[in-house]
Amino acid sequence: MKHFFNRKDTIVTEALDGFLATAGSGTLARLDGYPEIKVVLRADWDKTKVAVVSGGGAGHEPSHAGFVGAGMLTAAVSGEIFASPSVEAVLAAIRATTGPAGCLLVVKNYTGDRLNFGLAAEKARAEGFAVEMVIVADDIALPDIAQPRGVAGTLFVHKIAGHLSESGDDLASVAAAARAAAKDIVSLGISLSSCSIPGQAHEERFGADDGELGLGIHGEPGVERIPLQSAGAFVAIMAERLAAQLDPGDHYGLLINNLGSVPPLEMSLIANAVLSSPLAKAVTLTIGPGHLMTALNMNGFSLSLLKLNPAREAALLAAVGPHAWPPAKPVRQPVVVAMPEPVTGTAPKPASRDAAAERLIRAACQRLIALEEPLNALDAKAGDGDTGSTMATGARSVLERIDTLPLADRAATLAAIGDALGTSMGGSSGVLLSIFFTAASQTLGFGATLPKALLAGLGRMSFYGGARIGDRTMVDALEPALRAFDASGLEAAAKAARQGAEATAAMRKAKAGRSAYIGRQLDVADPGAFAVAEVFAAVAALFAPA
């Protein structure tokens, strides 16, 4: 897989300096120990308070440096990618931040972290520092394992310990609260791909149709391979296993963590699935969804739950300095506001029948539906391959409404079609065609002929959309067709539309529409123009003399 980096051995130090340069705060700094010592710390730290220090391998950004700041970590110690920081690096962080109040180390339950942070703690104590350590082991993927991994639930401990430290609690109180919280956290992750490390060869162990449940934040294999299925089904599996670890009747905070490369759209969908699952009954606060403790570019997410009490809830809700930490929010059902009523005089006309109008509309819509795949294939050569689906969606929406259309009133029918397309089609095509039919309806209502009204609609569509003849869009077929329709009738219109559509194949570069955004030369007809030609052909055939 491809990555952006300069040299493998400077990735972490360059990334930390980039983070500090863009943090927008003079309260963060780093120790002058590169490359061996990689410590980000608070430059404004008051050593009369308990220092809260954590860290681990790089690759989990924004953890850990992203959570250094008021109300959270005092310092973060970074190793290389997925490698524990050295004893000397941890010890340097302790020396730099710890005063008479002492220091709490928050450590994820991995052997390297336990050993390096543990030895650093012992050395610091020998130097006279008061140091306590809390180990977080929140991963429930392997329920029978003696030493569960520490994963994203560790962030709950950062937040609680940081809040108590900021509030002035002593080391014993901060450590006790952190240890108690660590025991009340459960986490579980799932992914559809493993992560890849910059500068290292990557071999994807996942199949095209499966994912893994319970994999670690360093790309370790999951506990179980799961066939690819809906997000709701994945969440249901996770919710069932997490719920089995919860105490009935208690309330929990939920952290929804993006493991790296899940798009925000999908993370919001996942959040909705979680909060629609039985697990939601126990959740009163949420954090995320967002990038909190990632695993480089892993295409997965994790869920972590912390049992709440008033003190923990207050700690989670307290404001903090680090921008990477999303504020905790109470769970709320979506607010639904009633649709506004139409302005007086613009209410839809009642349904009415007109056999000829219905035949015309059905013919045009059925032709577009039949062309869905050919139009998609044509569009794939010049755009994003969805023109056929977009047109077919609009056509189906009109057919679904045909029994409610005021067919005996042409102007009202055009307006209703415009409304239907604007609601159902989406994208630029839906809006453009909605403008076309809406403007044509208004002109027809003022007494113009149908061809003249359609030309007026085209004029408004071109004004808003910016396309003209020669720009390689549907206008290249629609404008000559409507002018021929006005002058000579449907048969001439169909012929003109076909000629206009064919002419777009010779237009090597689009000047409007989505095809204009690609830099290469084109050698196929514009799919929108092709669709217009097919519709005119279908309608002309319908009304051709026997």
Side-chain angles (χ1 to χ4, degrees):
M1 299 180 73
K2 299 176 182 177
H3 295 273
F4 292 103
F5 68 101
N6 296 313
R7 298 200 333 261
K8 183 180 176 181
D9 59 342
T10 61
I11 291 173
V12 180
T13 55
E14 290 180 46
L16 286 174
D17 280 347
F19 163 72
L20 290 169
T22 57
S25 170
T27 62
L28 297 182
R30 69 168 174 85
L31 293 182
D32 184 16
Y34 278 176
E36 291 82 10
I37 307 297
K38 296 181 279 291
V39 175
V40 171
L41 71 163
R42 290 181 63 176
D44 62 345
W45 180 238
D46 177 2
K47 290 187 178 181
T48 63
K49 296 180 179 180
V50 175
V52 180
V53 176
S54 189
H60 304 303
E61 288 70 23
S63 291
H64 299 85
F67 298 127
V68 174
M72 288 196 75
L73 298 180
T74 312
V77 193
S78 178
E80 292 301 311
I81 294 175
F82 294 165
S84 177
S86 68
V87 173
E88 287 305 312
V90 178
L91 186 56
I94 296 172
R95 290 170 178 157
T97 59
T98 305
C103 174
L104 177 68
L105 301 178
V106 181
V107 180
K108 294 185 293 300
N109 194 27
Y110 286 93
T111 301
D113 287 350
R114 289 179 65 129
L115 294 176
N116 286 290
F117 277 82
L119 181 52
E122 293 301 318
K123 288 189 173 187
R125 291 188 189 108
E127 294 181 13
F129 293 103
V131 180
E132 294 287 341
M133 190 164 87
V134 56
I135 297 171
V136 186
D138 54 312
D139 188 10
I140 66 160
L142 299 165
D144 300 324
I145 193 171
Q147 296 289 338
R149 297 172 292 200
V151 288
T154 308
L155 302 179
F156 282 127
V157 180
H158 291 173
K159 186 67 172 69
I160 291 168
H163 171 71
L164 295 177
S165 166
E166 199 74 37
S167 301
D169 287 33
D170 62 23
L171 179 58
S173 299
V174 176
R179 291 191 181 105
K183 292 179 180 179
D184 285 339
I185 301 170
V186 291
S187 297
L188 187 62
I190 195 168
S191 185
L192 303 181
S193 74
S194 56
C195 57
S196 62
I197 299 176
Q200 291 187 17
H202 175 70
E203 184 175 344
E204 182 60 68
R205 69 172 182 269
F206 286 53
D209 299 314
D210 57 26
E212 280 187 354
L213 180 69
L215 68 176
I217 57 172
H218 305 116
E220 309 98 311
V223 65
E224 184 178 336
R225 191 67 62 91
I226 297 181
L228 188 63
Q229 50 199 290
S230 70
F234 279 135
V235 166
I237 294 169
M238 298 172 73
E240 181 181 9
R241 300 190 186 191
L242 287 164
Q245 304 291 321
L246 307 184
D247 293 329
D250 282 320
H251 297 296
Y252 288 80
L254 168 68
L255 186 147
I256 307 174
N257 175 52
N258 190 334
L259 283 165
S261 67
V262 182
L265 176 70
E266 294 177 27
M267 287 304 299
S268 292
L269 182 150
I270 288 162
N272 182 64
V274 176
L275 295 175
S276 301
S277 75
L279 197 64
K281 296 176 183 177
V283 175
T284 57
L285 284 179
T286 60
I287 297 166
H291 293 88
L292 296 162
M293 185 174 286
T294 62
L296 289 173
N297 57 354
M298 186 180 289
N299 184 21
F301 67 94
S302 64
L303 305 175
S304 300
L305 292 131
L306 165 69
K307 184 190 296 187
L308 295 177
N309 57 35
R312 292 173 185 173
E313 190 165 341
L316 293 180
L317 289 170
V320 296
H323 298 302
W325 181 258
K329 301 172 288 294
V331 176
R332 293 282 186 267
Q333 291 298 317
V335 176
V336 180
V337 178
M339 291 282 287
E341 294 294 328
V343 178
T344 303
T346 63
K349 295 288 183 70
S352 58
R353 311 272 32 99
D354 184 298
E358 182 172 346
R359 286 170 57 212
L360 185 153
I361 292 169
R362 286 190 183 278
C365 290
Q366 288 166 355
R367 185 60 184 147
L368 287 173
I369 292 169
L371 285 170
E372 180 172 1
E373 292 306 320
L375 284 175
N376 281 342
L378 186 61
D379 188 35
K381 299 176 181 178
D384 59 357
D386 69 348
T387 293
S389 297
T390 301
M391 294 284 188
T393 297
R396 291 188 184 99
S397 73
V398 172
L399 289 181
E400 289 168 1
R401 294 169 169 82
I402 199 161
D403 291 334
T404 68
L405 295 179
L407 296 176
D409 184 331
R410 289 184 175 182
T413 297
L414 291 178
I417 291 174
D419 288 342
L421 298 181
T423 301
S424 65
M425 282 184 71
S428 57
S429 296
V431 176
L432 288 170
L433 289 173
S434 182
I435 291 170
F436 172 70
F437 283 106
T438 301
S441 167
Q442 294 171 1
T443 304
L444 192 62
F446 289 132
T449 63
L450 180 60
K452 287 287 194 293
L454 294 175
L455 281 167
L458 174 63
R460 300 317 294 164
M461 184 179 82
S462 294
F463 172 78
Y464 290 113
R468 300 288 187 272
I469 287 282
D471 287 347
R472 200 181 186 282
T473 69
M474 69 170 72
V475 173
D476 288 292
L478 188 56
E479 183 171 335
L482 292 180
R483 295 198 182 283
F485 181 35
D486 184 35
S488 307
L490 275 175
E491 185 176 350
K495 183 178 179 180
R498 180 67 61 192
Q499 291 172 342
E502 291 172 351
T504 62
M507 299 173 188
R508 309 294 289 177
K509 186 73 171 68
K511 299 177 183 177
R514 186 167 293 179
S515 296
Y517 303 145
I518 63 176
R520 61 185 175 83
Q521 298 290 312
L522 303 167
D523 57 2
V524 295
D526 176 73
F530 182 79
V532 168
E534 290 293 318
V535 167
F536 270 95
V539 172
L542 184 68
F543 292 97

